[in-house]
Coordinates of all heavy atoms in Angstrom, one line a residue:
I102 N 30.1 -42.7 -20.3 CA 30.0 -42.5 -18.8 C 30.3 -43.7 -18.1 O 31.0 -43.6 -17.0 CB 28.6 -41.9 -18.5 CG1 28.4 -40.5 -19.1 CG2 28.3 -41.9 -17.0 CD1 27.0 -40.0 -19.2
T103 N 29.7 -44.8 -18.4 CA 29.9 -46.0 -17.6 C 31.2 -46.7 -17.8 O 31.8 -47.2 -16.8 CB 28.7 -47.1 -17.9 OG1 28.7 -47.3 -19.3 CG2 27.4 -46.5 -17.5
R104 N 31.8 -46.5 -19.0 CA 33.1 -47.1 -19.2 C 34.2 -46.3 -18.4 O 35.1 -46.8 -17.8 CB 33.5 -47.0 -20.6 CG 32.8 -48.1 -21.5 CD 33.3 -48.2 -22.9 NE 33.2 -47.0 -23.7 CZ 34.1 -46.2 -24.1 NH1 35.4 -46.5 -23.8 NH2 33.9 -45.1 -24.9
D105 N 34.0 -44.9 -18.3 CA 34.8 -44.1 -17.5 C 34.7 -44.4 -16.0 O 35.7 -44.6 -15.3 CB 34.5 -42.6 -17.7 CG 35.0 -42.0 -19.0 OD1 35.9 -42.6 -19.6 OD2 34.4 -41.0 -19.4
A106 N 33.5 -44.6 -15.6 CA 33.2 -44.8 -14.2 C 33.8 -46.1 -13.7 O 34.3 -46.2 -12.6 CB 31.7 -44.8 -13.9
E107 N 33.8 -47.1 -14.5 CA 34.4 -48.4 -14.1 C 35.9 -48.2 -13.8 O 36.5 -48.7 -12.8 CB 34.2 -49.5 -15.2 CG 34.7 -50.8 -14.8 CD 34.3 -51.9 -15.8 OE1 34.1 -51.6 -17.0 OE2 34.2 -53.1 -15.4
K108 N 36.6 -47.4 -14.7 CA 38.0 -47.1 -14.5 C 38.2 -46.3 -13.2 O 39.2 -46.6 -12.4 CB 38.5 -46.3 -15.7 CG 38.6 -47.1 -17.0 CD 39.6 -48.1 -17.0 CE 39.8 -48.8 -18.3 NZ 40.9 -49.9 -18.4
Y109 N 37.4 -45.3 -13.0 CA 37.5 -44.4 -11.8 C 37.3 -45.3 -10.6 O 38.1 -45.1 -9.6 CB 36.5 -43.3 -11.8 CG 36.4 -42.4 -12.9 CD1 35.3 -41.8 -13.4 CD2 37.6 -42.1 -13.6 CE1 35.3 -40.9 -14.4 CE2 37.6 -41.2 -14.6 CZ 36.5 -40.6 -15.1 OH 36.5 -39.7 -16.1
L110 N 36.3 -46.2 -10.6 CA 36.1 -47.1 -9.4 C 37.3 -48.0 -9.1 O 37.6 -48.2 -8.0 CB 34.8 -47.9 -9.6 CG 33.5 -47.0 -9.6 CD1 32.3 -47.9 -10.2 CD2 33.1 -46.6 -8.1
D111 N 37.8 -48.5 -10.2 CA 39.0 -49.5 -10.0 C 40.1 -48.7 -9.4 O 40.8 -49.2 -8.5 CB 39.3 -50.1 -11.4 CG 38.3 -51.1 -11.9 OD1 37.5 -51.5 -11.1 OD2 38.4 -51.4 -13.1
W112 N 40.4 -47.5 -10.0 CA 41.6 -46.8 -9.5 C 41.4 -46.4 -8.0 O 42.3 -46.5 -7.2 CB 41.8 -45.6 -10.3 CG 43.1 -44.8 -10.0 CD1 44.3 -45.0 -10.5 CD2 43.1 -43.7 -9.1 NE1 45.2 -44.1 -9.9 CE2 44.5 -43.3 -9.1 CE3 42.2 -43.0 -8.2 CZ2 45.0 -42.3 -8.3 CZ3 42.7 -42.0 -7.5 CH2 44.1 -41.6 -7.5
F113 N 40.3 -45.8 -7.7 CA 39.9 -45.3 -6.4 C 40.0 -46.4 -5.4 O 40.6 -46.2 -4.3 CB 38.5 -44.7 -6.5 CG 38.1 -43.9 -5.2 CD1 39.1 -43.1 -4.6 CD2 36.9 -43.9 -4.8 CE1 38.7 -42.3 -3.4 CE2 36.5 -43.1 -3.7 CZ 37.4 -42.4 -3.0
A114 N 39.5 -47.6 -5.7 CA 39.5 -48.7 -4.7 C 40.9 -49.2 -4.4 O 41.1 -49.8 -3.3 CB 38.7 -49.9 -5.3
A115 N 41.9 -48.9 -5.2 CA 43.3 -49.4 -5.0 C 44.1 -48.3 -4.2 O 45.3 -48.6 -3.9 CB 43.9 -49.6 -6.4
Q116 N 43.5 -47.2 -3.9 CA 44.3 -46.1 -3.2 C 44.4 -46.4 -1.7 O 43.4 -46.9 -1.0 CB 43.6 -44.8 -3.4 CG 43.6 -44.4 -4.9 CD 44.9 -44.7 -5.6 OE1 45.9 -44.0 -5.3 NE2 44.9 -45.6 -6.6
D117 N 45.5 -46.0 -1.0 CA 45.6 -46.1 0.4 C 44.6 -45.2 1.1 O 44.3 -44.1 0.6 CB 47.0 -45.6 0.8 CG 48.1 -46.6 0.3 OD1 47.8 -47.8 0.1 OD2 49.3 -46.1 0.3
G118 N 44.0 -45.7 2.2 CA 43.1 -45.0 2.9 C 41.7 -45.1 2.5 O 40.8 -44.5 3.1
V119 N 41.4 -45.8 1.4 CA 40.1 -46.0 0.9 C 39.5 -47.4 1.3 O 40.2 -48.4 1.0 CB 40.0 -45.9 -0.6 CG1 38.5 -46.0 -1.1 CG2 40.5 -44.5 -1.1
A120 N 38.4 -47.4 2.0 CA 37.8 -48.7 2.5 C 37.3 -49.5 1.3 O 36.8 -49.0 0.3 CB 36.7 -48.4 3.5
P121 N 37.4 -50.8 1.4 CA 36.9 -51.7 0.4 C 35.3 -51.6 0.4 O 34.7 -51.2 1.4 CB 37.3 -53.0 0.8 CG 37.6 -53.0 2.3 CD 38.0 -51.6 2.5
G122 N 34.7 -52.0 -0.7 CA 33.3 -52.0 -0.9 C 32.7 -50.9 -1.7 O 33.5 -50.0 -2.2
P123 N 31.5 -50.9 -1.8 CA 30.8 -49.9 -2.7 C 30.9 -48.5 -2.2 O 31.1 -48.2 -1.0 CB 29.3 -50.3 -2.7 CG 29.1 -51.2 -1.5 CD 30.4 -51.8 -1.2
V124 N 30.8 -47.5 -3.1 CA 31.0 -46.1 -2.8 C 29.7 -45.4 -2.9 O 28.7 -45.9 -3.4 CB 32.0 -45.5 -3.7 CG1 33.4 -46.2 -3.7 CG2 31.5 -45.4 -5.2
V125 N 29.7 -44.1 -2.5 CA 28.6 -43.2 -2.8 C 29.1 -42.2 -3.8 O 30.3 -41.8 -3.9 CB 28.3 -42.4 -1.5 CG1 27.2 -41.3 -1.7 CG2 27.8 -43.4 -0.4
I126 N 28.2 -41.7 -4.6 CA 28.5 -40.7 -5.6 C 27.6 -39.5 -5.4 O 26.4 -39.6 -5.2 CB 28.3 -41.1 -7.1 CG1 29.0 -42.4 -7.4 CG2 28.6 -40.0 -8.0 CD1 28.8 -42.9 -8.8
T127 N 28.2 -38.3 -5.2 CA 27.5 -37.1 -5.2 C 27.8 -36.3 -6.5 O 29.0 -36.1 -6.8 CB 27.8 -36.2 -3.9 OG1 27.0 -35.0 -4.0 CG2 29.3 -35.9 -3.8
G128 N 26.8 -35.9 -7.2 CA 27.0 -35.3 -8.5 C 26.2 -34.0 -8.6 O 25.1 -33.8 -8.0
Y129 N 26.7 -33.1 -9.4 CA 26.1 -31.8 -9.6 C 26.0 -31.4 -11.1 O 26.9 -31.7 -11.9 CB 27.2 -30.7 -9.0 CG 27.4 -31.0 -7.5 CD1 28.3 -32.0 -7.1 CD2 26.5 -30.5 -6.5 CE1 28.5 -32.3 -5.8 CE2 26.7 -30.8 -5.2 CZ 27.7 -31.8 -4.8 OH 27.9 -32.1 -3.5
C130 N 24.8 -30.9 -11.4 CA 24.5 -30.6 -12.8 C 24.6 -31.9 -13.6 O 24.1 -32.9 -13.3 CB 25.4 -29.5 -13.3 SG 25.3 -28.9 -15.0
M131 N 25.5 -31.8 -14.7 CA 25.7 -33.1 -15.5 C 26.2 -34.2 -14.7 O 26.0 -35.4 -14.9 CB 26.6 -32.8 -16.7 CG 28.0 -32.3 -16.3 SD 29.2 -32.3 -17.6 CE 29.8 -34.0 -17.6
G132 N 27.0 -33.9 -13.6 CA 27.5 -34.9 -12.7 C 26.5 -35.7 -12.0 O 26.6 -36.8 -11.7
G133 N 25.3 -35.0 -11.6 CA 24.2 -35.6 -11.0 C 23.6 -36.6 -11.9 O 23.1 -37.7 -11.5
T134 N 23.4 -36.3 -13.2 CA 22.9 -37.2 -14.2 C 23.8 -38.4 -14.4 O 23.3 -39.5 -14.5 CB 22.7 -36.4 -15.5 OG1 21.9 -35.2 -15.3 CG2 21.8 -37.3 -16.5
N135 N 25.1 -38.1 -14.5 CA 26.0 -39.2 -14.6 C 26.0 -40.1 -13.5 O 26.1 -41.4 -13.6 CB 27.5 -38.6 -14.8 CG 27.7 -37.9 -16.2 OD1 26.7 -37.6 -16.8 ND2 28.9 -37.7 -16.4
A136 N 25.8 -39.6 -12.3 CA 25.7 -40.4 -11.0 C 24.6 -41.4 -11.2 O 24.8 -42.6 -10.8 CB 25.6 -39.5 -9.8
L137 N 23.4 -40.9 -11.7 CA 22.3 -41.9 -11.8 C 22.7 -43.0 -12.8 O 22.4 -44.1 -12.5 CB 21.0 -41.1 -12.2 CG 19.8 -41.9 -12.4 CD1 19.4 -42.7 -11.2 CD2 18.6 -41.0 -12.9
R138 N 23.3 -42.6 -13.9 CA 23.6 -43.7 -14.9 C 24.6 -44.7 -14.3 O 24.5 -45.9 -14.6 CB 24.2 -43.0 -16.1 CG 23.3 -42.1 -16.9 CD 23.9 -41.7 -18.2 NE 23.1 -40.7 -18.9 CZ 22.0 -41.0 -19.7 NH1 21.6 -42.3 -19.8 NH2 21.3 -40.1 -20.4
V139 N 25.5 -44.2 -13.4 CA 26.5 -45.1 -12.9 C 25.9 -46.1 -11.9 O 26.3 -47.3 -11.9 CB 27.7 -44.3 -12.3 CG1 28.7 -45.2 -11.6 CG2 28.4 -43.5 -13.4
I140 N 25.0 -45.6 -11.0 CA 24.5 -46.5 -10.0 C 23.6 -47.6 -10.7 O 23.4 -48.7 -10.3 CB 23.7 -45.8 -8.9 CG1 23.4 -46.8 -7.7 CG2 22.4 -45.2 -9.4 CD1 22.8 -46.1 -6.5
E141 N 23.0 -47.1 -11.9 CA 22.2 -48.1 -12.6 C 23.1 -49.2 -13.3 O 22.7 -50.3 -13.3 CB 21.4 -47.3 -13.7 CG 20.4 -46.4 -13.2 CD 19.7 -45.5 -14.3 OE1 20.3 -45.4 -15.4 OE2 18.7 -44.9 -14.0
A142 N 24.3 -48.8 -13.7 CA 25.2 -49.7 -14.4 C 25.9 -50.6 -13.4 O 26.3 -51.8 -13.8 CB 26.2 -49.0 -15.3
F143 N 26.3 -50.1 -12.2 CA 27.0 -50.8 -11.2 C 26.4 -50.8 -9.9 O 26.9 -50.3 -8.9 CB 28.4 -50.2 -11.1 CG 29.2 -50.0 -12.4 CD1 29.3 -48.8 -13.1 CD2 29.7 -51.2 -13.0 CE1 30.0 -48.7 -14.2 CE2 30.4 -51.1 -14.2 CZ 30.6 -49.9 -14.9
P144 N 25.2 -51.5 -9.7 CA 24.5 -51.5 -8.5 C 25.2 -52.1 -7.4 O 25.0 -51.9 -6.2 CB 23.2 -52.2 -8.8 CG 23.5 -53.1 -10.0 CD 24.5 -52.2 -10.8
D145 N 26.2 -53.0 -7.7 CA 27.0 -53.7 -6.7 C 28.2 -52.9 -6.3 O 28.8 -53.2 -5.2 CB 27.5 -55.1 -7.2 CG 28.3 -55.0 -8.5 OD1 28.1 -54.0 -9.2 OD2 29.1 -55.8 -8.7
R146 N 28.5 -51.8 -6.9 CA 29.7 -51.0 -6.6 C 29.3 -49.6 -6.1 O 30.2 -48.9 -5.7 CB 30.6 -50.9 -7.8 CG 31.1 -52.3 -8.4 CD 32.2 -52.1 -9.4 NE 33.4 -51.7 -8.8 CZ 34.6 -51.5 -9.4 NH1 34.6 -51.8 -10.8 NH2 35.7 -51.1 -8.8
V147 N 28.1 -49.2 -6.3 CA 27.7 -47.9 -5.8 C 26.5 -48.1 -4.9 O 25.4 -48.6 -5.3 CB 27.3 -47.0 -7.0 CG1 26.8 -45.6 -6.5 CG2 28.4 -46.9 -8.0
K148 N 26.6 -47.7 -3.6 CA 25.5 -48.0 -2.6 C 24.5 -46.9 -2.6 O 23.5 -47.1 -2.0 CB 26.2 -48.4 -1.3 CG 27.0 -47.3 -0.7 CD 27.7 -47.8 0.6 CE 28.7 -46.8 1.2 NZ 29.3 -47.3 2.4
A149 N 24.9 -45.7 -3.0 CA 24.0 -44.6 -3.0 C 24.5 -43.5 -3.9 O 25.7 -43.4 -4.1 CB 23.8 -44.1 -1.6
I150 N 23.6 -42.6 -4.3 CA 24.0 -41.4 -5.0 C 23.1 -40.3 -4.5 O 22.0 -40.4 -4.0 CB 23.8 -41.5 -6.5 CG1 22.3 -41.5 -6.9 CG2 24.5 -42.7 -7.1 CD1 22.0 -41.2 -8.3
A151 N 23.7 -39.0 -4.6 CA 23.0 -37.8 -4.4 C 23.2 -36.9 -5.7 O 24.3 -36.7 -6.1 CB 23.5 -37.0 -3.2
S152 N 22.1 -36.5 -6.3 CA 22.1 -35.7 -7.5 C 21.5 -34.3 -7.2 O 20.4 -34.2 -6.8 CB 21.3 -36.3 -8.6 OG 21.1 -35.5 -9.7
F153 N 22.3 -33.3 -7.3 CA 21.9 -31.9 -7.0 C 21.9 -31.1 -8.4 O 22.8 -31.1 -9.1 CB 22.8 -31.3 -6.0 CG 22.8 -32.0 -4.7 CD1 23.8 -32.9 -4.4 CD2 21.7 -31.8 -3.8 CE1 23.8 -33.6 -3.1 CE2 21.7 -32.5 -2.6 CZ 22.7 -33.4 -2.3
H154 N 20.8 -30.5 -8.6 CA 20.5 -29.8 -9.8 C 20.9 -30.6 -11.1 O 21.4 -30.0 -12.0 CB 21.0 -28.3 -9.8 CG 22.4 -28.1 -9.4 ND1 23.4 -28.2 -10.2 CD2 22.9 -27.7 -8.1 CE1 24.6 -27.9 -9.6 NE2 24.3 -27.6 -8.3
G155 N 20.6 -31.8 -11.1 CA 20.9 -32.7 -12.2 C 19.8 -32.4 -13.3 O 18.7 -32.2 -12.9
G156 N 20.2 -32.5 -14.5 CA 19.2 -32.2 -15.6 C 19.0 -33.4 -16.5 O 19.9 -34.4 -16.5
R157 N 17.9 -33.4 -17.2 CA 17.7 -34.5 -18.2 C 17.7 -35.8 -17.6 O 18.2 -36.8 -18.1 CB 18.6 -34.4 -19.4 CG 18.5 -33.0 -20.2 CD 19.4 -33.0 -21.4 NE 19.1 -34.1 -22.3 CZ 18.1 -34.0 -23.2 NH1 17.3 -33.0 -23.2 NH2 17.9 -35.1 -24.0
L158 N 17.1 -36.0 -16.4 CA 17.0 -37.2 -15.7 C 15.8 -38.1 -16.3 O 15.8 -39.3 -16.1 CB 16.8 -37.0 -14.2 CG 17.9 -36.3 -13.5 CD1 17.5 -35.8 -12.1 CD2 19.1 -37.2 -13.4
A159 N 14.9 -37.4 -16.9 CA 13.8 -38.1 -17.5 C 13.4 -37.4 -18.8 O 12.9 -36.3 -18.8 CB 12.6 -38.1 -16.6
T160 N 13.8 -38.1 -20.0 CA 13.5 -37.4 -21.2 C 12.7 -38.4 -22.1 O 12.4 -39.5 -21.7 CB 14.8 -37.1 -22.0 OG1 15.5 -38.3 -22.4 CG2 15.7 -36.3 -21.0
D161 N 12.4 -38.0 -23.4 CA 11.8 -39.0 -24.3 C 12.7 -39.7 -25.1 O 12.3 -40.4 -26.1 CB 10.8 -38.2 -25.2 CG 11.4 -37.1 -26.0 OD1 12.7 -36.9 -25.9 OD2 10.7 -36.3 -26.7
Q162 N 14.0 -39.7 -24.8 CA 15.0 -40.4 -25.6 C 15.1 -41.9 -25.1 O 14.8 -42.2 -23.9 CB 16.4 -39.8 -25.4 CG 16.4 -38.3 -26.0 CD 16.1 -38.3 -27.5 OE1 16.6 -39.0 -28.2 NE2 15.0 -37.5 -27.8

Side-chain angles (χ1 to χ4, degrees):
I102 291 166
T103 54
R104 288 189 297 113
D105 285 340
E107 186 171 25
K108 294 288 188 180
Y109 301 151
L110 289 165
D111 289 345
W112 185 90
F113 192 36
Q116 302 310 299
D117 292 339
V119 181
V124 305
V125 175
I126 304 177
T127 181
Y129 303 86
C130 180
M131 59 167 277
T134 309
N135 289 17
L137 179 56
R138 293 191 187 280
V139 174
I140 196 174
E141 292 170 348
F143 303 105
D145 57 333
R146 303 191 68 179
V147 181
K148 58 186 173 183
I150 69 158
S152 170
F153 297 99
H154 46 86
R157 299 184 58 78
L158 298 167
T160 72
D161 58 3
Q162 299 301 305

